[in-house]
Amino acid sequence: MSEDTTKGTNKTVTITDDSTGKQATFPLVTGTDGPPVIDIRRLYAELGCFTYDPGFIATGSCESNITFIDGDKGILLHRGYPIEQLVRHCSHLEVCYLLLKGELPNQAQFDKFSSDITNHTMLHEQLHNLYRGFRRDAHPMAIMCGVAGALSAFYHDSTDINDPYQRMVASYRMIAKMPTIAGWAYKYSLGQPFMYPKNDLGYAENFLWMLFGHPCEEYLVNPVIARAMDRILILHADHEQNASTSTVRLSGSSGANPFACISAGIASLWGPAHGGANEAVLKMLGQIGNKANINEFVKKAKDPEDPFRIMGFGHRVYKNFDPRAKIMQKTCHEVLNELGVESEPLLELAMALERIALEDEYFIERKLYPNVDFYSGIIFRALGIPTTMFTVLFAVARTVGWIAQWNEMIEDPTQKIGRPRQLYTGSKRRDAAPIEERQ
Ligand code: ACO
């Protein structure tokens, strides 16, 4: 870690157990920014109780110096740099370098990194067979979970988590191979030949090539679209201790190999409350159908008896506009312009829904704003990417965040296996009878 951020407060918090009168004092620890945390590691030893915090609403699970979010102010920083500046001045591969290594690369560092990544983009040829084992109509996220995990069966020389060199090789492999895995998942669903990566293309261009190219004719990647894809990758690259990243950390805390951990992260990302939301937004807009129906759906979302939610709205951390959503909204218009889509009915519907929801007391009170997924689905659709691939694109982008956070965890000397406690509400001890004696 570049600097010791967890010192600097003499403050403490004292907790009294009213039932026993016992008292214990715990350090209040401050980081570089954000609220302080109470270090309660000695709570059980001192007071004989645990904390209870389902969903980790108020629990810090680790120390990290990668990403900082201030959800009230709508701030997102990677290694201290605002997301808006990274999108303006950097490519996704530069951001990958930053997340992995802590600093933005100079030209020589970038050239070496870019060449290393480019030289790891091919997949082991035998993986073809694995793809063919999936049903043709398999969800591409199912294929992603399977193939990412299977990399541990192919790259044995980068699974020793105690060897820093092997960890770095595994990290490069994950970043390099994920677009190929995703491209092949798509090609498999179409029944088209798998496209091999092309070393003369940039990261985003290469990804588009593997999605949309085919061997029969030249496919030239539109630079505006490539830039938009690169920006989308940057916007999704990391987001501190979200569900999938915490899953990667928790899986890795047992010493599991990085490929298996990333596969676990992909599984977590798949859910509609997380990365699956971009797919869910499009489905929802399809169900709404036209502007006249918006009020009915907003009413459903507000009904406490109805589980329906406006997908792409709300965030656990952002209680102000998601800064990524602002950039995504702009990118969305640029892409539609470039593609000559003057009026995209789904975008118009999304904008109308956004307007109505943002003016509604229910959404204002709960600080529910559009999140990054609200717009990304519309861009993907305009690019001709099918809905089932949306979360796959998110997984490709988030891979660097997962692997950077996994590396940080392994290198943290205080790291222990993740093992939460619980509030048990089941039966007290009782005796088991043989089946013939049971009622
Ligand atoms: N539509 C309608 N009401 C909502 C929505 C929504 N999208 N999101 C939250 N609410 C309401 C809840 O019903 C709740 O109301 P209540 O206080 O009357 O019970 C209140 O707002 C707080 O919601 P919680 O579920 O407690 O908030 P939490 O932080 O646990 O959930 C989440 C955050 C999962 C993102 C939620 O807002 C949601 O389900 N959004 C839709 C799915 C989505 O877009 N996910 C993408 C997240 S971003 C990402 O992963 C990149």
Side-chain angles (χ1 to χ4, degrees), residues 117-431:
I117 295 293
T118 305
N119 284 302
H120 278 297
T121 47
M122 289 227 308
L123 291 180
H124 194 290
E125 199 64 8
Q126 262 180 275
L127 277 163
H128 278 225
N129 303 333
L130 185 64
Y131 277 83
R132 296 207 165 92
F134 286 97
R135 268 174 62 141
R136 184 69 71 194
D137 59 355
H139 195 291
M141 281 300 274
I143 300 182
M144 295 298 286
C145 292
V147 179
L151 295 185
S152 43
F154 285 87
Y155 301 102
H156 297 140
D157 58 345
S158 54
T159 52
D160 178 356
I161 64 154
N162 298 313
D163 178 345
Y165 177 73
Q166 290 203 22
R167 285 204 301 271
M168 204 37 79
V169 174
S171 306
Y172 282 27
R173 281 187 167 140
M174 286 303 328
I175 296 168
K177 294 184 195 305
M178 207 57 122
T180 317
I181 298 175
W184 285 18
Y186 180 48
K187 289 298 190 192
Y188 185 70
S189 74
L190 296 177
Q192 288 185 4
F194 297 138
M195 297 304 287
Y196 289 91
K198 263 187 158 183
N199 283 2
D200 58 340
L201 297 179
Y203 192 83
E205 282 175 295
N206 192 35
F207 186 26
L208 288 164
W209 154 254
M210 287 186 287
L211 288 171
F212 297 118
H214 51 86
C216 313
E217 61 185 36
E218 191 66 20
Y219 168 73
L220 289 176
V221 182
N222 177 329
V224 176
I225 303 301
R227 177 70 192 127
M229 176 61 84
D230 200 67
R231 204 181 284 168
I232 291 168
L233 296 174
I234 297 175
L235 290 177
H236 290 87
D238 190 48
H239 214 228
E240 52 118 302
Q241 308 313 319
N242 55 83
S244 56
T245 302
S246 297
T247 303
V248 171
R249 279 186 177 258
L250 192 56
S251 313
S253 74
S254 69
N257 77 70
F259 304 111
C261 297
I262 298 295
S263 170
I266 296 171
S268 168
L269 186 75
W270 194 356
H274 191 11
N278 53 17
E279 184 176 339
V281 169
L282 263 266
K283 278 193 190 144
M284 175 194 71
L285 291 175
Q287 280 165 1
I288 296 177
N290 67 61
K291 289 184 200 169
N293 299 330
I294 291 178
N295 282 331
E296 183 200 327
F297 279 83
V298 169
K299 205 169 145 206
K300 264 167 77 62
K302 290 167 21 177
D303 179 355
E305 304 301 317
D306 191 328
F308 174 78
R309 288 184 168 196
I310 302 286
M311 299 316 282
F313 259 74
H315 198 277
R316 169 61 61 80
V317 180
Y318 293 119
K319 300 302 173 195
N320 193 322
F321 221 89
D322 179 342
R324 301 166 304 168
K326 276 190 193 164
I327 305 169
M328 199 62 100
Q329 190 189 36
K330 197 167 154 252
T331 307
C332 189
H333 286 291
E334 278 171 20
V335 168
L336 295 181
N337 245 350
E338 177 64 22
L339 296 175
V341 186
E342 261 108 54
S343 73
E344 156 63 79
L346 275 191
L347 180 62
E348 282 175 18
L349 188 59
M351 304 303 265
L353 174 62
E354 182 190 5
R355 243 187 337 270
I356 291 171
L358 286 178
E359 283 165 7
D360 193 293
E361 207 40 50
Y362 173 94
F363 289 82
I364 296 169
E365 249 174 37
R366 288 166 181 74
K367 300 187 174 166
L368 299 170
Y369 293 90
N371 58 50
V372 66
D373 289 321
F374 192 70
Y375 301 103
S376 60
I378 296 164
I379 304 182
F380 294 154
R381 187 185 143 103
L383 294 180
I385 294 168
T387 322
T388 52
M389 281 295 291
F390 290 2
T391 315
V392 173
L393 270 73
F394 192 160
V396 169
R398 183 55 58 84
T399 297
V400 64
W402 290 330
I403 207 75
Q405 300 263 354
W406 173 83
N407 270 295
E408 183 179 62
M409 179 201 63
I410 301 287
E411 285 163 17
D412 181 348
T414 65
Q415 188 266 329
K416 282 182 187 311
I417 185 167
R419 184 23 177 119
R421 306 308 287 249
Q422 64 172 8
L423 174 67
Y424 177 67
T425 53
S427 301
K428 289 249 190 218
R429 187 204 175 282
R430 51 185 174 157
D431 295 321

Side-chain angles (χ1 to χ4, degrees), residues 6-14 25-30 36:
T6 59
K7 305 264 159 64
T9 171
N10 297 323
K11 293 187 184 149
T12 54
V13 170
T14 300
T25 299
F26 303 94
L28 194 66
V29 181
T30 52

Side-chain angles (χ1 to χ4, degrees), residues 15-23 47:
I15 301 178
T16 308
D17 180 341
D18 289 338
S19 61
T20 60
K22 256 182 155 182
Q23 257 192 357
L47 293 180

